[in-house]
Structures are given as structure tokens and as C-alpha cells.
């Protein structure tokens, strides 16, 4: 007997804690400063306050099992018993964290981005012989814990198809094996779990299948049909909600419609209601409140969408477009924000209130089903994320058409001009920009923000740090130096703080991975650069050395990708506004005598649309924006770019089209793949030779080996020598040792090649 789906719900909620309580508890536990009991108590309290808060706000459908000590995909691997042998330890929590973070002599599982978000999940390893078994302790535990508080919940699980599509084949699996081959076995474990949840009296279970909003092969769609056909036909189970978010279900919609699941959640912010009639007879959980952005929902448009869906499909519940994991907790705490801006913002708390309000309006008397729906463009999303008032500044901004980039001189001309000016040796050694951020600097920045020290005192500390970093690089023998980025808290926030059109929050933390959070800036208006941002630091650094100092900028795509962005303008237009500002900064650096300028675009890959049909267009304008940002530089200025975590091999043509003189790419974890494809690359290239994500210091022999390997594909006169990424998170001790070995390896090879 199926109970009807609650009128209002959210697909998930932040879990790190409004004051990052979980982060602190995890780090204390990892460092041995606290025990398991304290960690568990913090976690329990966070779950309790979340459920109580959601209930107090009037939300009817409360999710559970949305808490995680690290990541929900890793939790699913544990749930299914898919724990690779090498990680197994006596203590279950030790096993869990070994997979997430590694252990003595054991590298962690791979981590990668969750669809097109800045959240990272742990990639499970599945092989032909992985022995699946049910470990239902976590979802059952959360159901019971909430029930003890008098609250009924809906456990949320990563669905079997998405889980297997996100997994990677265990190393050593036979050719042609794909984790999805194990679908039947995995579905049996889900079936057992559903039986246990039914026995526990659980009415509804949510299975997240965001993988269904990307292009799927007929075989994958058949897997969806098989999995949900099988689970749907179980005798003894809770009602099933399948949640597909971050876009349109497309071909997967009729497939799901044909299975016996009771409800389907649609993302009506990013996707459309296209084909929703097929879901008649099921409940449509309509995601009209954005889980990805921070603007208040346009109530009238959302209501029109809800009514249109109800008209076409019948039963509708109101929800968020996806989990609220991707937004901060509560905008009311941001007392430092301009009140006019704050009034336009909704974080997780406010979004829950919006869902509740919309559900009330939808059910209001005089608005019974059957009444003519309010006009909404057929099948179109209602774009509820639109700000209600237009942002300050001219909404038109400047037009991208005015920015047709003439491009720079041909590479051969540039290369000759730069060789003449920079006089670099063969295999030049450089770094990606940041040097270790000392506790002293972080404390000074906090003291400056709190008004405890003055601007002048802070500046002199930054200067002293630049002096130290330049002296160190000279002593080690690097060829292109950097100032070390000591003035930056973060490569995006720093620029946001210095550009008009951006606001930054105090408490707006969003989980990035594990205990790590970022505070994405809010891009709310037209972007302008009131004055040069980085020039004085670069100039100061250059005044200390006769070697070239590289100016360091973050690229327009990355600044936008790692911010919450106004949605009243096309994304492309916003990116071009940021590109204008970067272009001005490039010009000013050049005028200040800086001969090498790096514009980082580590997020280029992240914004690639999930659907192939939309990818070419995105890559075209993203590349054009980068070229606009950099093409004001003369042929004598060497432009570098840097990409990391980017699955660079997948977008190599676009990276090449950036037309940078030198490109550095993270490659410690994807070496073969990167080197396998860069043969066609026609300009300077620096595949990383030092994995900065690990405390390990590579010796000179190892670096030499990596460089020799690279020399098989990249000619010596185009190969650069650099770490994988910025050195910010490492210690000076590790960095000094590693860079000394990198320089040593480069000079050995230089001798052989000259
Ligand atoms: N220049 C930045 C740094 O070195 C680049 C960081 C990044 O690619 N994520 O820190
Ligand atoms: Zn990087």
C-alpha cells in the first residue's frame, strides 16, 4: 500500500555544518586530537539540527542518509560492500578514511568532479569479481535516529546505474569490462536493502540517478529499464522516487516512465518539463527551486511551471532542482552584505522556505486541479532562478561582438621575440604560482579583516614573503620566477574582492570534497576592474631579480565557474565581462615590464555541458573569452596557461586553441593519457613532474625519468619543467627539497641535449 508523496521536499541538504562543525571534527579526529565518540556525536548533532530545522520550516518530506563523513558515493560503495581488499582494516571508520584519504603506503581512491559541479566524489573501483554484500547500517541508522526524534524520513541513496557509471574498472580487469556489467549483482543488493527498509516501516526511498541527464547509449538505457523494472516489481518494498538532476532526462524519461517506480524528480531549473505527460500516473517531484544558485525563486514563474506540470502529469510535489549540498546554509547570517543584494538571495534555509511556500500556494483553495493553468511556455522551464530585481549597473553590459579578438602574431613570430627577450635555457624550470601559505600569513589576513592590524603592516608582511620566495627561487636556480601569491586567500575570491560586480560572504561555505569547503563569491552585477589588482606585487617581485617574474592571473571561465553567477544574462556574456577585466590587467602587467603572464583556467573542463550536442558551442566561446583576455599582449610577452584536474585529454583541442605560448598541465595522476595526446600540441608544454597533492618529495632520478619520457613526445625546445599545480598546500620543507630535485633533473637533461 503506497502512501502519497509529501507535498514539499528537498532532494538533499548541506552537511558540513553552518560553522563547518563537521570539518573541524573530522580534522581533529584525523590528527588524533579527538576520538571516534566525539566525531560521532558532532555528526549526530548536525543530523538532528538539520531534521529539526527542516521540520520547523514546514517541510513535509524530510530526507535522511544525506549526511556523510566524506562523500555519498563512497558511502554507497561501503553500503554495497565494494571495498577494495587493500583498504580493509579492523576498524570500519579507518577503512572508510583509507579509501578517501589513503593510509600508510597506500594511495587513496581517485577523486573527481561530481558532474558539472565543484563537488568532488570518490571514484569506486569495481571489478568482475567484486563481492557485493549489503551493509545497511548507515541508512537504517539514520531512519531510526530521526524516528527517535519523532520524525519520519525518506532515505536517499545513489542509484545503481549512476553508481556503476561513476565507478571505474578495478585495475587489472579484463579488457572490455565495465562496472555496469555488474548491474544485476548490484541491483540484488539494492533489492535486499529495500526489503530491510520496508521492514523498518519506511514509506519512500529516493534513488539519485543524475547520470541519466547526460547522453546515454541504448545499452545504458536498457540497464535503467532492467534495474528499475526489477526493483519496481519487488513485492516488499517502499515506494520509489528516482531523482535525475542537473539537466533534462531526455531519452531516459520515457524509459523511467515505463518502469513501475512511483515518482520521478525532475530538474525544472536546468531542464524542462518536456515529455512530462509520460509520467502521468506517477508523482512528479518538480524541482523548481534551484539547488545550484543563490537567487530567490521567482514565485510566479515557479507556480506557473508547477501548475503546467500538474495539468499535464497529474500529481505534483514541490522540490529543489537537486540537493542543496551546493549552496551555503543561511543568508540571514551575511549581515555584511548590502541589504538590497541580500534581499535577492536565498541559501539552503531560504530555499526550503520557498519550497514550503510554493507547495502551499499550489494547494491553495481556488486553485484546485482542473483549473486552467497559468500561461507558461509549453515545455519550457520557468527560469525561476532569475533575480526579481535587475542587478545594479546596465543589464546589457558590453557586447561580446565588440570583442572580436584579432588574435596574436603567429606562434613562430612570438616564439622568436620571446626567446630574444627572455633568453631562457633549454627545458626552463618554473612553478605554477603559489608558494606555501604560512600560518603567519593566514593569521595576518584574519587580523587585517578584524581590524587588529593596519593595511601597512599587512603589506609589509606580504612584501617580506615575496622577498623570501624570490630569494629561494634564485638560490634553487629556477628560470622563470613567481612572486608566490602570498596576498591571495584563494585564486578566485581574491579577484572577486577586487572587481566591481562581485560580493563575498563571511559564512557561505560550500563543501568541495571531504572536509574542504570554498566560499564562492556572488557575481551579481556588471563586472568592472576599478584599478589594477596584481600589478604592484608583480612589479615589486620583478624589482628584486634579474630573472623574469611571471605575473599570475585567474582566467575568466574559472572565475565564473567558481562563483555563484547572475542568471539574467547568458553565461557567455558574463564570462566576457570578466575577460574584459583580465585583459586590462594583462595590459597593465605588460606595461609594468612583466614579460611572462600566466592566466590559469583549471575550470575550463568543469563547465563543459553534460550533453554532447551543447559542448562545441561552449568550448568555442570559452576559448574565445580566454583569447580575448590574453590577446592584447604583444608578441614579446609570453602567455602561459595552467590546467589541472581537467581530464585534459578530453578537451585537448580546446586547450590548444587557447593559443597560449606555454601550457602547464597536471599529469601526475593521468600521465599516460596526457602524454599520449599532446603529440599534436604545437607550442610550449609543461606536463607536471611533481605531484603536489602528496607530501612525497620526488628524487631527481624520478623527475629525470618523467622528463625523459615526456621528451619522447615533446621536442626539447618546447618542453617546460614544472610541478603539477600551485605549491600553496605544501610545506616549505617539502617544496625546497622537491624543487631542488626538479632543477637537478632538468640540468642533467639539459647537458645531454645541448
Ligand atoms: N596559480 C594558482 C596556484 O599556483 C593555480 C592554482 C590551480 O590551478 N588550482 O595556486
Ligand atoms: Zn592547478
Amino acid at each position: 500500500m503506497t502512501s502519497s508523496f509529501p507535498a514539499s521536499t528537498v532532494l538533499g541538504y548541506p552537511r558540513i555544518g553552518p560553522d563547518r562543525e563537521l570539518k573541524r571534527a573530522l580534522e581533529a579526529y584525523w590528527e588524533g586530537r579527538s576520538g571516534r565518540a566525539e566525531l560521532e556525536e558532532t555528526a549526530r548533532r548536525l543530523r538532528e539540527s538539520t531534521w529539526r530545522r527542516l521540520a520547523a520550516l514546514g517541510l513535509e518530506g524530510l530526507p535522511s542518509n544525506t549526511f556523510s563523513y566524506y562523500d555519498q558515493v563512497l558511502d554507497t560503495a561501503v553500503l554495497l560492500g565494494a571495498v577494495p581488499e587493500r583498504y580493509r582494516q579492523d576498524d570500519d571508520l579507518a577503512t572508510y578514511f583509507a579509501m578517501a584519504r589513503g593510509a600508510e603506503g597506500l594511495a587513496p581512491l581517485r577523486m573527481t568532479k561530481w558532474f558539472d559541479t565543484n563537488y568532488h566524489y570518490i571514484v569506486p573501483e569495481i571489478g568482475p569479481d567484486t563481492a557485493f554484500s549489503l551493509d545497511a547500517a548507515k541508512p537504517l541508522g539514520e531512519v531510526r535516529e530521526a524516528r527517535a526524534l519523532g520524525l519520519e524520513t525518506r532515505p536517499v541513496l545513489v542509484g545503481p546505474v549512476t553508481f556503476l557509471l561513476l565507478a571505474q574498472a578495478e585495475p587489472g580487469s579484463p579488457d572490455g569490462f565495465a562496472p555496469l556489467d555488474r548491474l544485476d549483482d548490484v541491483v540484488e543488493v539494492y533489492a535486499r536493502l529495500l526489503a530491510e527498509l520496508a521492514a523498518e516501516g519506511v514509506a519512500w526511498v529516493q534513488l539519485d540517478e543524475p547520470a541519466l541527464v547526460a547522453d546515454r547509449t541504448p545499452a545504458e538505457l536498457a540497464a535503467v529499464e532492467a534495474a528499475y523494472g526489477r526493483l519496481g516489481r519487488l513485492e516488499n518494498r517502499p515506494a520509489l522516487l528516482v531523482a535525475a538532476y542537473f539537466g533534462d532526462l531526455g531519452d531516459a524519461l520515457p524509459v523511467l516512465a515505463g518502469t513501475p517506480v512511483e515518482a520521478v524528480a525532475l530538474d525544472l531549473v536546468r531542464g524542462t518539463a518536456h515529455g512530462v505527460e509520460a509520467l502521468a500516473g506517477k508523482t512528479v517531484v518538480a524541482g523548481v527551486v534551484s539547488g545550484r544558485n543563490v537567487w530567490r525563486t521567482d514565485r510566479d514563474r515557479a507556480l506557473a511551471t508547477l501548475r503546467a506540470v500538474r495539468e499535464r502529469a497529474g500529481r505534483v510535489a514541490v522540490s529543489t532542482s537537486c540537493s542543496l549540498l551546493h549552496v551555503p546554509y543561511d543568508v540571514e547570517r551575511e549581515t555584511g552584505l548590502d541589504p538590497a543584494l541580500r534581499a535577492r538571495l536565498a541559501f539552503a534555509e531560504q530555499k526550503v522556505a520557498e519550497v514550503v511556500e510554493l507547495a502551499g500556494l499550489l494547494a491553495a483553495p481556488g486553485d484546485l486541479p482542473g483549473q486552467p493553468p497559468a500561461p507558461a511556455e509549453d515545455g519550457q522551464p520557468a527560469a525561476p532562478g532569475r533575480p526579481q530585481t535587475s542587478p545594479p549597473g546596465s543589464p546589457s553590459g558590453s557586447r561580446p561582438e565588440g570583442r572580436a579578438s584579432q588574435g596574436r602574431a603567429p606562434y613562430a613570430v612570438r616564439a622568436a621575440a620571446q626567446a630574444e627577450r627572455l633568453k631562457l635555457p633549454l627545458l626552463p624550470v618554473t612553478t605554477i604560482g603559489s608558494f606555501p601559505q604560512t600560518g603567519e600569513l593566514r593569521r595576518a589576513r584574519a587580523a587585517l579583516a578584524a581590524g587588529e592590524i593596519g593595511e601597512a603592516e599587512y603589506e609589509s608582511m606580504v612584501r617580506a614573503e615575496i622577498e623570501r620566495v624570490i630569494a629561494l627561487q634564485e638560490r634553487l636556480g629556477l628560470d622563470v620566477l613567481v612572486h608566490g601569491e602570498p596576498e591571495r586567500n584563494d585564486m578566485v575570491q581574491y579577484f572577486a574582492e577586487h572587481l566591481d560586480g562581485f560580493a563575498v560572504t563571511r559564512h557561505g561555505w560550500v563543501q568541495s570534497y571531504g572536509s574542504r569547503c570554498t566560499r564562492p563569491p556572488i557575481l551579481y552585477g556588471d563586472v568592472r576592474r576599478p584599478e589594477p589588482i596584481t600589478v604592484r606585487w608583480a612589479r615589486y617581485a620583478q624589482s628584486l631579480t634579474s630573472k623574469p617574474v611571471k605575473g599570475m592571473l585567474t582566467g575568466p571561465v574559472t572565475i565564473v565557474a567558481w562563483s555563484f553567477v547572475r542568471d539574467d544574462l547568458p553565461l557567455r556574456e558574463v564570462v566576457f565581462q570578466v575577460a574584459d577585466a583580465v585583459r586590462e590587467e594583462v595590459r597593465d602587467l605588460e606595461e609594468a615590464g612583466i614579460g611572462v603572464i600566466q592566466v590559469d583556467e583549471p575550470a575550463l573542463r568543469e563547465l563543459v555541458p553534460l550533453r554532447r550536442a551543447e559542448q562545441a558551442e561552449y568550448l568555442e566561446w570559452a576559448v574565445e573569452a580566454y583569447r580575448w583576455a590574453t590577446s592584447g599582449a604583444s608578441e614579446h610577452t609570453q602567455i602561459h596557461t595552467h590546467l589541472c584536474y581537467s581530464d585534459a585529454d578530453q578537451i585537448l583541442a580546446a586547450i590548444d586553441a587557447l593559443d597560449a605560448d606555454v601550457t602547464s598541465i597536471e599529469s601526475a595522476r593521468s600521465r599516460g593519457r596526457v602524454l599520449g595526446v599532446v603529440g599534436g600540441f604545437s607550442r610550449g608544454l609543461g606536463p607536471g613532474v611533481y605531484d603536489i597533492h602528496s607530501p612525497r618529495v620526488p628524487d631527481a632520478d624520478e623527475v629525470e625519468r618523467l622528463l625523459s619520457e615526456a621528451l619522447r613526445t615533446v621536442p626539447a625546445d618546447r618542453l617546460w619543467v614544472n610541478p603539477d599545480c600551485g605549491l600553496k598546500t605544501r610545506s616549505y620543507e617539502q617544496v625546497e627539497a622537491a624543487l631542488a630535485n626538479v632543477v637537478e633533473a632538468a640540468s642533467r637533461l639539459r647537458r645531454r641535449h645541448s
Side-chain angles (χ1 to χ4, degrees):
M1 184 53 219
T2 302
S3 65
S4 63
F5 194 84
S8 60
T9 194
V10 296
L11 298 187
Y13 209 70
R15 56 207 179 199
I16 202 77
D19 287 303
R20 290 180 296 160
E21 291 87 343
L22 180 60
K23 173 194 177 69
R24 287 180 230 290
L26 283 169
E27 290 172 359
Y29 176 75
W30 292 334
E31 288 160 19
R33 286 186 280 114
S34 78
R36 179 170 183 154
E38 285 153 282
L39 176 61
E40 286 176 343
E41 178 54 17
T42 302
R44 195 199 56 73
R45 258 188 279 123
L46 286 171
R47 290 189 293 262
E48 172 174 352
S49 61
T50 295
W51 286 318
R52 286 200 193 280
R53 188 69 195 136
L54 295 182
L57 286 165
L59 196 71
E60 291 182 25
L62 304 185
S64 62
N65 201 41
T66 58
F67 178 81
S68 179
Y69 279 122
Y70 205 94
D71 165 52
Q72 70 271 13
V73 180
L74 181 59
D75 294 341
T76 313
V78 171
L79 172 86
L80 300 171
V83 175
E85 202 49 49
R86 63 187 187 279
Y87 294 109
R88 290 184 190 267
Q89 306 190 18
D90 292 339
D91 173 57
D92 59 338
L93 209 49
T95 302
Y96 182 84
F97 288 131
M99 288 191 276
R101 312 177 63 233
E104 265 309 294
L106 196 58
L109 285 170
R110 207 162 73 83
M111 185 167 75
T112 195
K113 295 213 169 184
W114 175 245
F115 300 91
D116 58 353
T117 74
N118 195 20
Y119 174 80
H120 303 66
Y121 70 93
I122 300 290
V123 183
E125 271 176 15
I126 304 291
D129 304 318
T130 300
F132 297 107
S133 59
L134 177 62
D135 176 355
K138 182 173 180 292
L140 277 175
E142 290 200 20
V143 165
R144 290 174 187 155
E145 202 174 276
R147 195 168 279 163
L149 303 170
L151 300 168
E152 286 305 309
T153 59
R154 175 184 81 249
V156 177
L157 304 157
V158 177
V161 178
T162 292
F163 174 77
L164 289 170
L165 286 172
L166 294 182
Q168 64 177 9
E170 184 180 272
S173 298
D175 275 357
F177 169 80
L180 196 60
D181 298 348
R182 302 294 312 274
L183 183 73
D184 289 349
D185 302 318
V186 164
V187 167
E188 285 322 302
V189 184
Y190 278 85
R192 258 179 284 146
L193 172 64
L194 292 182
E196 287 205 21
L197 291 170
E200 193 68 24
V202 166
W204 283 87
V205 167
Q206 173 181 328
L207 293 154
D208 284 359
E209 292 286 7
L212 303 189
V213 308
D215 298 324
R216 301 273 61 123
T217 63
E220 290 164 347
L221 291 175
V224 173
E225 190 169 13
Y228 289 98
R230 164 81 179 108
L231 295 178
R233 281 189 303 273
L234 290 171
E235 292 261 308
N236 201 10
R237 63 166 177 88
L240 299 178
L241 162 65
V242 176
Y245 40 83
F246 301 148
D248 246 329
L249 266 171
D251 294 344
L253 189 134
V255 175
L256 271 182
T259 68
V261 304
E262 283 77 14
V264 176
L266 301 179
D267 181 338
L268 297 175
V269 177
R270 289 237 182 146
T272 68
H274 185 77
V276 76
E277 298 82 0
L279 297 174
K282 304 188 192 301
T283 298
V284 176
V285 177
V288 291
V289 170
S290 173
R292 292 289 295 275
N293 215 333
V294 291
W295 305 105
R296 281 202 178 275
T297 304
D298 180 332
R299 208 178 52 190
D300 295 342
R301 298 189 70 130
L303 199 53
T305 301
L306 290 167
R307 287 175 177 147
V309 170
R310 185 171 61 189
E311 193 64 22
R312 290 159 59 194
R315 273 197 299 276
V316 178
V318 184
S319 181
T320 49
S321 64
C322 62
S323 168
L324 294 171
L325 182 66
H326 311 289
V327 296
Y329 275 85
D330 183 6
V331 78
E332 289 306 320
R333 297 185 69 190
E334 300 298 332
T335 49
L337 284 181
D338 172 1
L341 173 62
R342 197 171 67 217
R344 291 168 43 209
L345 297 174
F347 292 177
E349 283 244 343
Q350 289 71 37
K351 286 170 185 289
V352 172
E354 288 180 336
V355 166
V356 170
E357 187 194 9
L358 284 165
L361 290 168
L362 189 64
D367 182 42
L368 298 167
Q371 191 168 306
E377 310 93 285
D378 187 66
Q380 287 307 302
R386 210 164 288 263
Q388 285 175 326
T389 52
S390 55
S394 129
S396 62
S398 31
R399 282 157 316 162
E401 307 88 76
R403 302 185 184 92
S405 84
Q406 301 84 355
R408 306 180 69 206
Y411 176 66
V413 175
R414 277 145 45 193
Q418 292 159 19
E420 167 76 23
R421 175 182 185 183
L422 299 170
K423 304 204 168 35
L424 295 171
L426 200 64
L427 307 178
V429 183
T430 191
T431 59
I432 307 305
S434 58
F435 267 68
Q437 282 264 341
T438 59
E440 197 187 353
L441 269 171
R442 267 194 284 265
R443 280 190 294 277
R445 210 165 11 251
L448 176 69
E452 288 157 20
I453 62 170
E455 193 74 39
E457 191 178 337
Y458 175 67
E459 296 238 333
S460 73
M461 290 184 69
V462 171
R463 261 175 229 277
E465 188 64 19
I466 292 175
E467 287 159 23
R468 187 161 102 122
V469 169
I470 293 287
L472 173 64
Q473 294 170 91
E474 290 206 309
R475 182 156 55 77
L476 290 169
L478 276 83
D479 302 298
V480 173
L481 312 193
V482 296
H483 80 292
E485 305 181 17
E487 78 287 10
R488 301 183 193 178
N489 37 15
D490 172 276
M491 65 186 291
V492 169
Q493 179 158 359
Y494 180 74
F495 288 92
E497 281 170 356
H498 290 83
L499 290 168
D500 292 345
F502 281 93
V504 294
T505 66
R506 274 185 69 91
H507 308 280
W509 297 101
V510 174
Q511 190 176 14
S512 171
Y513 66 92
S515 65
R516 297 295 184 106
C517 302
T518 65
R519 260 180 312 167
I522 298 168
L523 196 173
Y524 66 89
D526 284 341
V527 176
R528 295 229 160 72
R529 189 195 69 145
E531 57 185 5
I533 300 171
T534 64
V535 177
R536 63 202 170 111
W537 305 121
R539 186 190 276 131
Y540 182 62
Q542 186 64 83
S543 76
L544 301 169
T545 176
S546 56
K547 298 239 176 122
V549 168
K550 180 159 68 166
M552 278 299 148
L553 304 175
T554 303
V557 174
T558 298
I559 289 181
V560 168
W562 293 348
S563 299
F564 291 118
V565 183
R566 63 192 282 187
D567 55 3
D568 59 336
L569 282 184
L571 194 63
R572 167 180 192 277
E573 184 104 9
V574 178
V575 170
F576 270 93
Q577 286 190 8
V578 179
D580 280 341
V582 176
R583 185 178 171 96
E584 290 170 15
E585 189 74 10
V586 166
R587 197 171 320 121
D588 286 337
L589 281 170
E590 201 173 39
E591 255 165 42
I594 302 300
V596 184
I597 300 172
Q598 179 169 306
V599 181
D600 294 326
E601 279 296 21
L604 185 66
R605 166 76 181 76
E606 189 173 311
L607 285 196
V608 172
L610 298 173
R611 295 272 181 198
R612 270 187 294 276
E614 296 158 21
Q615 293 173 355
E617 188 200 340
Y618 158 76
L619 285 170
E620 193 180 319
W621 65 248
V623 165
E624 191 51 39
Y626 183 92
R627 291 172 66 129
W628 176 249
T630 53
S631 61
S634 85
E635 69 255 36
H636 303 281
T637 301
Q638 189 169 68
I639 297 290
H640 288 215
T641 191
H642 165 70
L643 298 106
C644 56
Y645 274 133
S646 292
D647 293 319
D649 54 329
Q650 294 172 19
I651 53 162
L652 204 82
I655 297 173
D656 195 29
L658 297 177
D659 196 30
D661 298 303
V662 180
T663 302
S664 61
I665 303 189
E666 196 255 35
S667 65
R669 295 176 186 200
S670 49
R671 192 145 195 93
R673 271 163 44 196
V674 169
L675 288 178
V677 291
V678 292
F681 220 79
S682 48
R683 295 175 298 279
L685 188 77
V689 290
Y690 162 29
D691 178 8
I692 59 85
H693 295 104
S694 148
R696 220 178 121 257
V697 172
D699 60 25
D701 290 346
E702 175 181 337
V703 176
E704 188 182 350
R705 196 158 23 78
L706 293 174
L707 288 172
S708 307
E709 194 188 351
L711 280 166
R712 275 185 244 135
T713 19
V714 186
D717 61 349
R718 286 203 270 107
L719 185 64
W720 281 67
V721 181
N722 48 260
D724 259 341
C725 191
L727 306 170
K728 186 162 63 181
T729 54
R730 296 269 64 89
S731 72
Y732 265 107
E733 200 189 346
Q734 293 157 358
V735 162
E736 282 196 48
L739 290 181
N741 294 341
V742 168
V743 170
E744 163 66 17
S747 57
R748 282 189 206 160
L749 279 166
R750 221 173 261 161
R751 282 197 290 275
R752 251 190 277 146
H753 277 84
S754 50

